[in-house]
Amino acid sequence: MPEADLAREPSLPPSVAKVVDAARALGLSIAPRLMPASTRTAQEAAAACGCAVAQIVKSLVFTGATSGRSYLLLVSGANRVDVKAAALLLGEPLERPDAERVREATGFAIGGIPPLGHATPSPVWLDQDLLAFDLVWAAAGHPNAVFPIDPKLLARATGATPAKLS
Ligand code: 5CA
């Protein structure tokens, strides 16, 4: 079987297959798991994965209030973004886009936003607290799908800048 077919199960929903393909294009081989229960929130994802909430990667889109551009913050499930501190880091005030705008920018629906493979790539920051773990879990393009990854590999592949975000 060709390598491409081994890495992607035929039963994966199309939005999850899109994440697998995007990861491969960045040099990452990921293995999404379709969970029987919702992984829509960090708490639900942690329960489904049997890991700490802090090991869940929230992929949060923010909009620059001045430039209108999107930013992607990869944040530990245990943390709330300090929006004022993040604004200093990113160089402009930040707003939260509505669900429709998030869908436009990423190509995915809230609850399943992956950390990579977005319709329009945005500058990426990664919560330094995630780097304390050997393995973290991120959404894989679907509200029931997650994948495990070494946070250092995630940072490298996405070009994320590690930072204190909370
Ligand atoms: N699958 C899980 C764990 S990986 C997940 O996607 N979690 S999340 O935190 O990255 O995505 C949910 C986030 O979407 C919430 O933290 C919240 O900030 C944001 N959100 C929820 N509803 C809306 C909405 N209507 N508009 C904009 N953002 C929203």
Side-chain angles (χ1 to χ4, degrees), residues 39-42 45 56-60 96-99 110-112 138-139:
T39 58
R40 199 180 294 271
T41 67
I56 300 297
V57 180
K58 299 190 286 189
S59 298
L60 303 178
R96 289 308 299 273
D98 64 21
I110 280 172

Side-chain angles (χ1 to χ4, degrees), residues 118-140:
H118 292 190
T120 307
S122 303
V124 189
W125 275 262
L126 180 124
D127 184 343
Q128 64 186 19
D129 289 357
L130 290 169
L131 296 170
F133 299 102
D134 293 332
L135 207 70
V136 295
W137 294 79

Side-chain angles (χ1 to χ4, degrees), residues 53-54 58 60 75-81 127-130 165-166:
V53 176
K58 299 190 286 189
L60 303 178
V75 183
S76 165
N79 291 342
R80 277 188 75 86
V81 173
D127 184 343
Q128 64 186 19
D129 289 357
L130 290 169
L165 297 175
S166 59

Side-chain angles (χ1 to χ4, degrees), residues 61-66 68-71 92-97 101:
V61 179
F62 286 80
T63 306
T66 311
R69 76 189 300 188
S70 294
Y71 299 98
E92 61 177 315
L94 297 174
E95 295 170 348
R96 289 308 299 273
R101 170 94 200 264

